[in-house]
Amino acid sequence: MSSTELPGVQAAAAALAPTVSAVRVADGERLRTVSLPGIGLTVRCRPGDRAGLPPALYVHGLGGSSQNWSALMPLLSDVVDGEAVDLPGFGDSPPPDDGDYSVTGHARAVIRLLDAEERGPVHLFGNSLGGAVATRVAAVRPDLVRTLTLVSPALPEWRVQRPAIPTGLLAVPGVATLFARLTKGWTAEQRTRGVMALCYGDPARVSEEAFRHAVAEMERRLELPYFWDAMTRSARGIVDAYTLGGQQGLWRQAERVLAPTQLVYGGRDRLVSYRMARRASAAFRGARLLTLPDAGHVAMMEYPEAVAQAFRELLDESGGS
């Protein structure tokens, strides 16, 4: 395993890949690459303010990237040594060699990263799809997780929110291709506004600078030849995970989580129902719950100070490390 250079096959694939715009790196952050058999991962690092702080790992949602955590990570750099991973096929991470975008596949990538670098146990954060991934990691590898913080986790719902239906439809064969063709004329700005309207409780809270950065990232993603494939297969992975029963069911796995857990739900979330907060609080033993009435699906981007404070309280209750 190397954290700087890709080995033979992956290096050759990278050389053949089209040139795309560089990923944005905020002040105080740095990117590094980790190469493992079959996957290459980009990790966004926000070092702690001092040596010896416990590690944290942040996992983004569907269509997102490690940049989704750039507002929260500096607020916690005095208590954790933070890293955010780009899941395979998202952000700056290339697609996995085996094409596995299932929740289990993404969870396996996170576990392999932590095992390879001997970084666990970590304070594990997850949003949306990343929340489902983090739940699975915490259930099957409790030795890797100190605490678990879930922001609008994508756990199975019987009554899916109406705005979430198009995301689910991406899992249907041919729909993504049709959607890409129908929206071919949309500008990156139009697409970005649509995403923000869906994910933010109040898109007007987004600063002009943050909006410009989001448009630039959308432009970059649309240059990637595998963008729609990664979206489609990951959406299918969420749908498949919703149908699993028995010990592999996400709610059953939530009940198996041993790590102290903080749940965060937004009252204006159009993708994960606010009403799921009650069920999640019952499933994760002894979980703390933060509800933000004006937040949407990405509370760590909309109200990072509130999410940071909730995590600090979780730390205090769980012993501070």
Side-chain angles (χ1 to χ4, degrees), residues 16-47:
L16 294 173
T19 301
V20 297
S21 306
V23 172
R24 179 176 176 271
V25 182
D27 291 342
E29 297 178 346
R30 64 180 178 86
L31 298 183
R32 65 186 182 91
T33 58
V34 178
S35 181
L36 300 165
I39 56 170
L41 299 173
T42 294
V43 178
R44 183 176 301 267
C45 307
R46 170 69 71 166

Side-chain angles (χ1 to χ4, degrees), residues 71-182:
L72 179 63
M73 286 199 291
L75 301 181
L76 295 176
S77 61
D78 62 319
V79 290
V80 297
D81 183 61
E83 293 192 340
V85 62
D86 284 331
L87 293 172
F90 294 94
D92 205 36
S93 292
D97 287 358
D98 62 3
D100 186 355
Y101 289 100
S102 66
V103 171
T104 297
H106 285 312
R108 188 179 300 118
V110 170
I111 289 170
R112 290 178 64 193
L113 173 66
L114 294 175
D115 276 342
E117 302 201 321
E118 299 182 347
R119 188 167 165 81
V122 299
H123 294 290
L124 187 60
F125 293 71
N127 168 234
S128 191
L129 165 63
V133 170
T135 296
R136 185 148 291 172
V137 171
V140 302
R141 288 294 303 275
D143 58 304
L144 293 179
V145 183
R146 295 171 185 252
T147 66
L148 183 63
T149 299
L150 304 177
V151 181
S152 296
L155 301 175
E157 299 184 44
W158 288 114
R159 290 186 296 164
V160 178
Q161 302 247 85
R162 183 173 298 175
I165 292 175
T167 301
L169 288 176
L170 281 177
V172 178
V175 169
T177 301
L178 176 62
F179 182 76
R181 186 162 59 244
L182 292 174

Side-chain angles (χ1 to χ4, degrees), residues 193 196 203-215:
R193 291 193 186 280
M196 288 185 170
R205 289 179 56 87
V206 181
S207 69
E208 289 188 12
E209 181 183 20
F211 180 74
R212 289 197 305 272
H213 291 321
V215 171

Side-chain angles (χ1 to χ4, degrees), residues 230-244:
M231 286 287 292
T232 300
R233 291 174 182 261
S234 291
R236 190 174 301 150
I238 295 175
V239 173
D240 289 346
Y242 276 28
T243 64
L244 287 176

Side-chain angles (χ1 to χ4, degrees), residues 220-254:
R220 191 193 72 83
R221 291 179 187 179
L222 293 173
E223 295 172 351
L224 298 171
Y226 52 82
F227 171 75
W228 284 111
D229 187 56
M231 286 287 292
T232 300
R233 291 174 182 261
S234 291
R236 190 174 301 150
I238 295 175
V239 173
D240 289 346
Y242 276 28
T243 64
L244 287 176
Q247 294 301 314
Q248 295 302 310
L250 283 169
W251 285 115
R252 182 67 62 86
Q253 291 193 322

